Each structure stands twice: as C-alpha cells, then as structure tokens.
Amino acid sequence: MSLPKRIWINEVSPRDGLQVWKEFVETKQKIKWIESLAAAGLSAIEATSFVNPKKIPQLADADTVMINLQALKLHLSALVPNQKGFERAIAGNCRAISIFTSPSNTFCQKNIGCNSADSLVRYASIIQQAKQKKLFVRGYLSCAWGCPFEGLIKTDDVVKIAFKLSELGCDEISLGDTTGQATPSSTQKLLMQIFKKLSSEQVALHFHDQYGRGLLNAYAAMQCGAWRFDSAVAGLGGCPTVPDAAGNVSTEDLVGLADEIGITTGINLAKLAKAGQEICDILGTNNQSRTGQTVLKLN
Ligand code: HMG
Ligand code: MG
C-alpha cells in the first residue's frame, strides 16, 4: 500500500464547526476568519449552510457570508438541504453545493425531515438543476459507519446509496463518520467496496473524532488511495442531530502529519494554527488540536 503524494483538504470548520455553537459569531468576524483560513493556503472551504435558520441560527447569515467571500476565488461550498436552500445558494453565487443524506433512516428523518429514499427523490431534482448550472455537487453520507439511533450501519447500505448519489450526478461523495465509530480496518473495508465503482477523485472522508481515531482513520484511508479529506481547525465540529458528537479531525493534525511524512498539502501550518486559535479566541473555547497547540507554542 502506497501513500498519496498530495492530499486535498476541505476545511469544514466555518460550517461543521460553527453550526453547533450557541453564541452567534458576528458576520464580519466570521468573514475575516475565513479569509485567514484562505490565507493559510486552504483551497477548499465549506463556508456555511443554506438550511432553515431557525434550526441552525449560527449560520443564519449564510447569504451575506457567501456573497462576501466571492473575491477569494477558491472552492467555496455550502450545505443545501432543499429547493429553498438551493435558490439561496444560487442567489449567493455559490459554485459548489453539498447535499446531505444518510443510510440511516432515523438520522435522516431527524436531520432533514424525511427518510433516506425520499431524500434521494428530493435531491435528484436539485442535483439536476445544479448540473445544468455547472455547479460542483458533493453528496454527504452521514453515519456511514455507525448511527446513534440505529447502531452499526451495513457497509452494503452505504455503498448502495453512495453509488446512487454518483449516478444522480454528484461529483464527489463524502463519507461521514458522524459518531467517530470508524476504525482503520472498517475504514479500509468500506473504501475497498466504494473504490470498486468510484475513483479516488470522487471520494472524500469526513471523520469526527469522538474516540480520538480520526487521524488514524485518515491515515488508513490514505493507504487505500484516498486523498480527499474534510477536517476542521482546532478540532471544531459536531452535529445538531447527535447532541454529543465530537469535533472533526483537526486540520492542523492532518497537515502536521502530512508535512512530517512528505505528503504535500499546500497549507502553511503556522498560519493555519493561528487561524485555528483566532476562532477559539472569538468563541472563548479551548483549542482541541494537539498539533495546533504545539505549533503555536513553538512559533
Ligand atoms: P423544516 O423546518 O423541517 O421544514 O426544514 P419546512 O419545509 O416545514 O419549513 C419550515 C420553515 O423553514 C419555513 O419557514 C420554511 O420557509 C423555512 P416559515 O414558514 O416557518 O417562516 N425553510 C428554510 N429557510 C431558509 N432556508 C432553507 C429553508 N428550508 C425551509 N433552506 C430542512 C427542512 C431540511 C430545511 C431542515 O430540517 C433543516 O434545515 N435541516 C438542516 C439540519 C442541519 O443543518 N444539520 C446539520 C448539517 S448535517 C451534518 O452536520 C453532517 C455532516 O457534517 C456530515 C457528517 O458529519 O456526517 C454534513
Ligand atoms: Mg460533520
């Protein structure tokens, strides 16, 4: 098994990181912080969500955030749960959208108000409209390893829905370990099935770090040929539908590991660590990234 020469990192902290936060971060502060993330060399950032603002008040300013980030000229994406969200994304000049579903019907129902099969019907129309407008479409599959309501999820169920999303037109499938239940071996088992039909360019991994295995799982995925990863500075993140969900694997840890083992990321670790600390200071929270903390001490 050989490792990739380069990995692509999609920074999800402005969306996954902030969505579970109680206090609203001022829009101007949020935009300035996202600009710091971009200045650290991140070329893909999930900036916000066009969801029901009553459900996710922290991202109620999605329209303003997206419009104000256009000058950054990077892969800026946002979550889109339905037609209304899609129209808001288009109005905000968003060029990359992320639809999100799950093989777990219970999670899906609680998260977006319909079961897995119905979500595909809803998204088929959105994907079609997005492709007509030449947008990049990501399809998230949450609870791809385990679900807090349904327990372990069958690999076959994940694979089936991943292939279906791809057939519907998704450019990329992000496999979400929402509950942090994946292990290196279950990560590789799922990827071996997924890579039977999808190329490594079509698959991203989204590890939450509930049990501290996020980085291990990312490394195990790299050994299978995966090179697209979601992560969040300072280990921020969570999920409103899973109240105790931990943050995402930290971007500083992922970049730090990649730097040490000769994998290119295009990201400046010192600047990234500062951007991670910037949002922790705004939120008044501890920085969860071990690499981030160390880099800040040394610089
Ligand atoms: P709803 O509230 O269930 O349904 O929304 P509704 O259609 O009955 O609408 C109620 C009200 O919301 C109406 O307004 C709509 O207009 C409005 P009212 O008449 O009451 O004034 N509304 C909207 N407003 C703005 N933008 C919209 C929108 N849609 C409806 N897009 C919906 C259904 C799916 C939108 C809702 O359930 C929702 O917003 N869910 C999102 C939940 C969410 O954001 N979860 C977290 C993200 S997923 C995640 O974190 C996992 C991931 O990280 C991967 C992983 O870790 O596994 C991606
Ligand atoms: Mg997530």
Side-chain angles (χ1 to χ4, degrees):
M1 288 188 216
S2 64
L3 294 170
K5 290 199 166 51
R6 185 183 179 90
I7 55 171
W8 176 88
I9 296 180
N10 181 35
E11 175 63 37
V12 295
S13 55
R15 190 280 301 171
D16 203 315
L18 295 189
Q19 70 184 6
V20 283
W21 216 259
K22 282 198 191 79
E23 292 80 30
F24 184 79
V25 174
E26 287 304 323
T27 308
K28 271 191 185 160
Q29 257 181 331
K30 211 181 266 179
I31 291 168
K32 193 173 154 283
W33 165 57
I34 296 173
E35 287 168 350
S36 307
L37 292 170
L42 284 157
S43 60
I45 300 181
E46 193 169 75
T48 188
S49 284
F50 292 104
V51 294
N52 180 352
K54 286 191 193 120
K55 295 219 161 142
I56 312 285
Q58 182 58 266
L59 304 179
D61 56 358
D63 313 75
T64 314
V65 168
M66 188 51 75
I67 282 281
N68 278 281
L69 289 174
Q70 296 301 313
L72 288 181
K73 302 269 180 269
L74 44 78
H75 183 93
L76 270 183
S77 59
L79 293 198
V80 164
N82 57 9
Q83 183 64 29
K84 182 156 189 173
F86 179 67
E87 283 158 19
R88 289 174 65 204
I90 295 300
N93 285 336
C94 186
R95 303 296 310 156
I97 62 162
S98 304
I99 52 121
F100 51 110
T101 183
S102 172
S104 158
N105 281 318
T106 316
F107 176 87
C108 209
Q109 191 70 47
K110 287 177 188 278
N111 199 38
I112 54 169
C114 64
N115 68 25
S116 196
D118 289 347
S119 77
L120 295 186
V121 175
R122 183 198 288 178
Y123 287 136
S125 150
I126 293 172
I127 296 168
Q128 195 185 19
Q129 295 169 69
K131 295 321 295 175
Q132 275 165 4
K133 292 183 182 296
K134 302 201 176 345
L135 302 192
F136 182 92
V137 183
R138 154 180 280 212
Y140 270 111
L141 278 183
S142 290
C143 301
W145 281 268
C147 168
F149 316 109
E150 295 190 3
L152 287 180
I153 297 293
K154 284 191 200 130
T155 304
D156 282 355
D157 292 347
V158 186
V159 171
K160 226 182 277 170
I161 184 166
F163 293 169
K164 180 73 190 163
L165 283 176
S166 172
E167 277 161 31
L168 287 174
C170 283
D171 298 289
E172 176 190 52
I173 310 299
S174 178
L175 300 168
D177 184 20
T178 325
T179 51
Q181 279 168 267
T183 63
S185 53
S186 65
T187 297
Q188 295 189 338
K189 181 179 166 210
L190 177 55
L191 280 177
M192 278 187 241
Q193 293 301 317
I194 291 281
F195 284 150
K196 283 187 180 162
K197 267 205 194 167
L198 302 183
S199 72
S200 58
E201 189 154 9
Q202 294 172 288
V203 180
L205 283 309
H206 179 105
F207 292 116
H208 281 265
D209 209 18
Q210 192 83 35
Y211 299 97
R213 297 196 288 262
L215 195 61
L216 267 180
N217 294 335
Y219 187 74
M222 286 181 216
Q223 290 180 316
C224 283
W227 52 273
R228 296 171 78 84
F229 295 95
D230 297 349
S231 58
V233 287
L236 291 171
C239 180
T241 306
V242 183
D244 298 327
N248 293 85
V249 63
S250 103
T251 312
E252 298 91 322
D253 288 355
L254 192 54
V255 172
L257 173 69
D259 283 354
E260 288 298 328
I261 61 178
I263 295 176
T264 305
T265 63
I267 297 164
N268 178 306
L269 186 54
K271 286 187 185 172
L272 182 73
K274 275 194 193 145
Q277 192 53 43
E278 183 180 332
I279 189 63
C280 289
D281 292 344
I282 293 170
L283 295 171
T285 190
N286 291 331
N287 191 326
Q288 300 291 326
S289 172
R290 298 284 289 273
T291 302
Q293 290 168 25
T294 305
V295 168
L296 287 166
K297 266 188 223 143
L298 295 176
N299 281 275

